[in-house]
Amino acid sequence: MADMAELVAQQDESGEAALREHDLTVPRINIEAFCMTADFASTMQTAAQDRRMAKAKTAVGMGGCASAVKRYANIGTPNLIVVETLSNGFSMFQELEGLSEVCDEDTRVIVAGPSNDVTLYRELIRQGVCEYLVTPAAPLQVIEAIAGAYADPASAPAGKTVAVYGVRGGVGASALCHNIGTLVARQSERETILVDLDLEFGTVALDFNADAKSSIADALGDLAGLDDVKFKRLLHRHDAYLRLLPSPASIRPRAKAGEEEVLGLLDVARFCADFLVLDLPSQWSDGVRCALRQADKVVLVAAPDLASLRNLKSVHDWISAERKHDEAPRIVLNGVGEPKRPEIAAAEFAEIIGAPVDLSMSYEPALFGAAQTDGKALVDLATARRLVEKLEDFTAHLIGLAEKSPKKTSALSSLLSFAKKR
């Protein structure tokens, strides 16, 4: 029989896999899984806890198709059913036939089973199954399949999100974030939005000398009616590629940035630009945790002191536990070499944190001060060229411009089926 590996060879290499393009976006749906093995049940539980599944409500049980048929005999079915089977060939179709008789018309089904057969896979898709996973499957494969069941190939891909967080106040995280946002826009030559999530004391408008008419409070205060058109109207265009969403000029904003608000904002904003750069306040809050959990890339900024080391260790450990299927956050030490201040070396940071320091920025108050006073980025100061070169290299690696590699596709990721079940 044909092997699933043949499917990979047949895929078009001219573009990225559709699911990667859509950033594994899982909408607000109800998912119920019916497993036959403890391994697949564990995989489903792990997938349900992933950041990409934050909006979905997932229930995991045992019993496979038989349990699903019994459960839905007299009640409606959820948006998506994931069912594991131990059967092959004709017996598998017999199980699914029973399930199809109790499913609502708009319910989608993903099947997981042991058969590694392309012919079987194609027949399942032809008969209306959204996706087939060969077990054992990894959590990210499950998330890919779920995202694929709801991805619209005709829609714009989601932009990549970069979150910049200072592990304590005063480490210069906002200044670095604003320069990273500027460089992301200029290096990529793609639409980039810099969002200030510090509602009370954000400095995006000040650092860019922007006389913005709207703020993030306007977006957060009208999430129910916010769409891409309304969101884009709130943005302040800084140059050809960079747009700003600053904080309001008030210590009493008309909105809050909790977990639900940040999720709602990201739902809209990520589809309005190629890159979204988030300037996070240093306060450890629900909204900050949500942004760090949901971002594609995380940058943690610290000063070379003991308080920063303690906080960085705590935050880094939390992120590593929350984002098990994502790359590690990038670590930046800022203000290195301040005269008369004892410092902890980058090597000690790396040893204690268990991760390398990706960028060390020297103590240059005159340069940062001049840029902020003039409402400019460091890249626009001729005297800051040495610092800018380091930031340019760091930013290029952060967004992938410095690491062009052959495009990869998964065996199932480009086959997106929206066929209805019989």
Side-chain angles (χ1 to χ4, degrees):
M1 287 191 298
D3 191 272
M4 291 293 285
E6 294 180 13
L7 198 55
V8 179
Q10 296 171 6
Q11 291 185 355
D12 184 3
E13 298 180 356
S14 63
E16 295 183 27
L19 292 174
R20 297 301 181 188
E21 285 285 322
H22 288 264
D23 192 38
L24 304 184
T25 301
V26 178
R28 295 183 186 276
I29 55 174
N30 291 318
I31 305 169
E32 294 189 11
F34 297 85
C35 309
M36 292 295 291
T37 63
D39 284 346
F40 189 68
S42 176
T43 296
M44 284 299 309
Q45 294 282 9
T46 302
Q49 296 166 7
D50 189 88
R51 68 178 178 89
R52 301 162 185 85
M53 298 276 283
K55 292 180 290 183
K57 183 178 180 181
T58 307
V60 180
M62 304 299 291
C65 274
S67 290
V69 172
K70 183 178 179 180
R71 172 170 171 76
Y72 302 126
N74 298 306
I75 65 172
T77 49
N79 304 106
L80 176 67
I81 298 173
V82 181
V83 61
E84 182 186 15
T85 177
L86 302 181
S87 301
N88 289 290
F90 181 70
S91 57
M92 181 188 296
F93 287 102
Q94 285 183 312
E95 290 183 13
L96 294 175
E97 183 67 25
L99 182 60
S100 70
E101 292 174 358
V102 299
C103 279
D104 296 338
E105 183 71 15
D106 57 352
T107 293
R108 298 171 185 178
V109 176
I110 292 174
V111 178
S115 181
N116 187 21
D117 178 17
V118 170
T119 303
L120 172 66
Y121 171 80
R122 287 173 173 158
E123 181 60 22
L124 286 169
I125 296 298
R126 189 186 71 79
Q127 295 199 23
V129 170
C130 286
E131 192 62 280
Y132 176 74
L133 294 170
V134 178
T135 55
L140 274 182
Q141 289 177 294
V142 173
I143 298 169
E144 272 193 342
I146 295 171
Y150 289 90
D152 181 0
S155 68
K160 298 298 181 182
T161 304
V162 178
V164 182
Y165 178 69
V167 299
R168 68 167 179 82
V171 297
S174 287
L176 284 174
C177 177
H178 303 170
N179 281 281
I180 289 171
T182 300
L183 288 172
V184 167
R186 296 187 184 184
Q187 289 180 334
S188 68
E189 295 185 344
R190 300 283 185 85
E191 287 284 345
T192 303
I193 302 173
L194 177 59
V195 178
D196 196 337
L197 276 168
D198 188 342
L199 268 66
E200 289 83 9
F201 301 107
T203 57
V204 163
L206 291 174
D207 283 359
F208 288 90
N209 194 26
D211 184 19
K213 307 301 181 185
S214 305
S215 74
I216 189 172
D218 297 299
L220 295 174
D222 186 31
L223 282 176
L226 191 66
D227 57 21
D228 57 343
V229 175
K230 292 180 180 178
F231 181 78
K232 289 178 180 179
R233 288 174 181 167
L234 299 176
L235 303 176
H236 174 82
R237 181 166 289 280
H238 177 70
D239 58 28
Y241 297 108
L242 181 63
R243 290 181 286 178
L244 312 174
L245 186 62
S247 61
S250 169
I251 60 172
R252 293 182 179 179
R254 304 182 304 278
K256 63 177 183 177
E259 181 175 2
E260 285 299 314
E261 289 79 14
V262 171
L263 270 178
L265 181 73
L266 293 179
D267 278 350
V268 177
R270 289 167 63 248
F271 292 93
C272 293
D274 297 285
F275 292 100
L276 192 66
V277 182
L278 308 179
D279 181 9
L280 305 181
S282 59
Q283 294 86 356
W284 192 242
S285 65
D286 289 344
V288 166
R289 286 190 290 271
C290 177
L292 290 173
R293 193 182 295 114
Q294 293 299 316
D296 296 289
K297 309 282 186 177
V298 173
V299 178
L300 300 178
V301 183
D305 56 41
L306 187 59
S308 287
L309 177 57
R310 178 200 64 187
N311 295 359
L312 179 61
K313 173 65 174 172
S314 297
V315 175
H316 191 278
D317 287 351
W318 178 85
I319 290 176
S320 298
E322 290 287 317
R323 297 164 54 90
K324 294 179 181 179
H325 306 120
D326 294 275
E327 66 177 48
R330 308 296 174 98
I331 298 175
V332 177
L333 281 187
N334 193 32
V336 175
E338 180 179 350
K340 300 181 181 180
R341 182 182 70 176
E343 290 186 354
I344 301 174
E348 293 183 64
F349 265 80
E351 181 179 357
I352 294 173
I353 302 302
V357 173
D358 298 279
L359 174 64
S360 291
M361 295 289 288
S362 59
Y363 179 70
E364 300 283 0
L367 292 178
F368 278 98
Q372 290 174 325
T373 299
D374 294 341
K376 296 180 178 179
L378 281 176
V379 69
D380 295 320
L381 296 182
T383 53
R385 192 60 213 161
R386 178 174 53 85
L387 283 181
V388 170
E389 288 176 352
K390 297 178 69 174
L391 269 175
E392 286 175 338
D393 184 64
F394 173 80
T395 303
H397 282 85
L398 179 67
I399 61 175
L401 292 179
E403 43 197 39
K404 295 291 185 183
S405 57
K407 296 175 180 178
K408 300 179 181 180
T409 59
S410 65
L412 305 178
S413 62
S414 68
L415 296 176
L416 306 179
S417 174
F418 293 91
K420 295 180 180 179
K421 299 180 302 306
R422 291 187 301 177

